[in-house]
Amino acid sequence: AITADPPTPVLSALAVMTQRRIRHLPVVDGGGLRGIVSIGDLVKYRIERIEAEAEAMRSYIQSA
C-alpha cells in the first residue's frame, strides 16, 4: 500500500497522489494507522495557505 508518514510535506503527498492517481493516502506512524488524508483535504489546505499569504502581502503593502 502507498502510505505517508506524519512529517511528509503537503506538496510531496499531493505529488504522490497525482502520480499514482489515488484520492486517499493513509498516514502511518510507528507501524500504526494514524489517519487518512484525501486529495481534497490537501488541496483545501494549500488554497487556504495561499490565500493567507496573499492577505499578509496585501496588509504589508498597505502598511508601507
Side-chain angles (χ1 to χ4, degrees), residues 4-53:
D5 54 357
T8 301
V10 171
L11 290 178
S12 296
L14 280 169
V16 167
M17 295 171 85
T18 300
Q19 291 167 354
R20 296 300 192 107
R21 296 181 181 201
I22 56 176
R23 297 186 55 79
H24 297 89
L25 188 63
V27 178
V28 177
D29 187 25
L33 179 66
R34 298 295 176 235
I36 298 176
V37 294
S38 72
I39 200 161
D41 294 334
L42 299 179
V43 169
K44 180 181 175 190
Y45 174 81
R46 287 290 300 146
I47 289 171
E48 289 171 354
R49 290 286 307 262
I50 290 167
E51 287 175 350
E53 290 172 9

